[in-house]
């Protein structure tokens, strides 16, 4: 598989593992989403739309929401190895409730 092919051999332990952190994937996805959203705003509304996005009042609102999502993503990645399958599913379902409350 692609995942198995991406694993490298650790010279200290002799075991095969992923050479990057789980969080690097999440951060990469966030950067890609940010760039894609800015390009879409530029294409659909021009610089006027970009100025609306960079308005300090809007940044305060959306930064708070973004931080909540970032914390949720971090906790999700941190819990993957420590939770059973059932507990992990409950965690994923609770994200729906939290999203609805925001």
């Amino acid at each position: 598989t692609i995942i198995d092919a991406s694993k490298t051999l650790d010279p200290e332990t002799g075991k095969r593992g992923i050479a990057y952190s789980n969080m690097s994937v999440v951060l990469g996805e966030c950067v890609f989403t940010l760039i894609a959203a800015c390009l879409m705003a530029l294409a659909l509304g021009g610089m006027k739309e970009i100025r609306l996005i960079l308005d300090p009042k809007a940044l305060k609102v959306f930064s708070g929401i973004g931080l909540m999502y970032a914390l949720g993503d971090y906790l999700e990645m941190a819990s993957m190895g420590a939770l059973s399958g059932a507990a992990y599913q409950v965690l994923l379902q609770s994200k729906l409730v939290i999203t609805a409350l925001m």
Side-chain angles (χ1 to χ4, degrees), residues 6-21:
S6 69
K7 293 181 180 179
T8 58
L9 185 65
D10 186 355
E12 293 178 8
T13 63
K15 295 182 179 179
R16 291 175 51 86
I18 298 173
Y20 54 86
S21 167

Side-chain angles (χ1 to χ4, degrees), residues 61-75 95 98 102:
V61 171
F62 291 112
S63 294
I65 294 170
L67 286 173
M68 296 287 278
Y69 273 110
L71 178 62
D73 285 343
Y74 174 76
L75 292 174
K95 286 176 67 174
I98 292 170
M102 289 196 309

Side-chain angles (χ1 to χ4, degrees), residues 13-91:
T13 63
K15 295 182 179 179
R16 291 175 51 86
I18 298 173
Y20 54 86
S21 167
N22 288 341
M23 284 303 296
S24 63
V25 176
V26 174
L27 291 174
E29 184 270 333
C30 289
V31 169
F32 175 79
T33 301
L34 176 68
I35 291 169
C38 286
L39 289 174
M40 284 187 346
L42 187 62
L44 295 174
M47 284 307 292
K48 180 181 176 186
E49 195 73 24
I50 296 292
R51 284 189 203 95
L52 286 174
I53 293 171
L54 298 177
D55 178 43
K57 185 177 177 182
L59 281 177
K60 286 179 188 175
V61 171
F62 291 112
S63 294
I65 294 170
L67 286 173
M68 296 287 278
Y69 273 110
L71 178 62
D73 285 343
Y74 174 76
L75 292 174
E76 182 180 343
M77 289 292 133
S79 69
M80 284 177 116
L83 293 177
S84 67
Y88 182 69
Q89 287 299 318
V90 170
L91 175 71

